[in-house]
Amino acid sequence: VRANLLIGYGMVVGFRGTGDSQQTVFSVQTLANLLQKMGVQFTASAVVVKNVAGVFVTATLPPFARPGTPIDVTVSSVGDAKSLDGGMLLFTTLHGPDGQMWATAQGPLVNGGYSAGGRGNSVQINHPTTSRIPAGGIVERDAAVDLSHLTQLSILLREPDLQTATEAAAAIERELGKGSAQAVDSRRIEIRVPVPGPDVISSMMAKVENLMVPIHPLAKVVVNERTGTIVMGQAVSLGACSVLHGNLSVVIATEFKVSQPNAFSQGQTQVVPQTAVKAVESPARRIELREGASVDDLINGLQAIGATPRDIVAILEAVRSVGALQAELEII
């Protein structure tokens, strides 16, 4: 029981000159093919339009989807359209990984941004070339799974953890009976169906979904070095350590001066660079962390010494290297 990704190629019309330009060949060819199916014959090279845009349409097919189920779709420009604001998506078929058509989409676009202006003066809010159509797609094929004949079910944890899987299996056994559930590994829990039937599995899964199981979150620190973003979980703890942080700033400035020879000296005018090197090193700033320090203690200490997000990334890597970071450090 899982969701599936869908994708399709379509055309958006109804712009006010913000669509694809003439150099985007595929959008004009798509328009020509569409009109030819409607009985309008013309040459694609003879048409100049700026009110259409070729787009990719993506959606997610939910589990147990039946024909007629509405789904949300996302529309993204493929060519050089300036904005999709005010556009209308024409009838588009959406295909799955198996190449089969599973849904169709059509409707007016909802755009959270816009772009206006020209000739060097323009303004842009958010991302105007990606839009959504709430309930703009309709499922055309039955994607439901028949559960009535199954004799065994498997539950997959989103975050693998042996302790959580074991406690979940024990909670299921207390509800359904001894021997009804077993933790296979850190992610999968197998549940035995006593008697297969059309209503047995649905009622059994309803009971399982209402069970309360304690969650044991992993101690993890996620660092994005490209943007300087750091996210630390509440379970992260630190060992006793001392951090020294200081900045060394080296500035090299080159100034060009003109050397002018004296009159009648038969010399030549020359441009002479004069380079000045200046190094400024700030004193080291120090913070101390006690054994079992929390994330708040670390952040407050780093902010006290004026560390930037990129400085914190380097400090966290160094703290992990000395073994004082009691968490998994993931760099993305």
Side-chain angles (χ1 to χ4, degrees), residues 228-240:
T229 303
I230 303 170
V231 179
M232 288 176 280
Q234 186 178 3
V236 176
S237 61
L238 302 170

Side-chain angles (χ1 to χ4, degrees), residues 116-134:
R119 296 184 179 181
N121 296 323
S122 62
V123 60
Q124 176 177 323
I125 303 298
N126 296 333
H127 205 69
T129 54
T130 298
S131 304
R132 288 182 59 83
I133 308 179

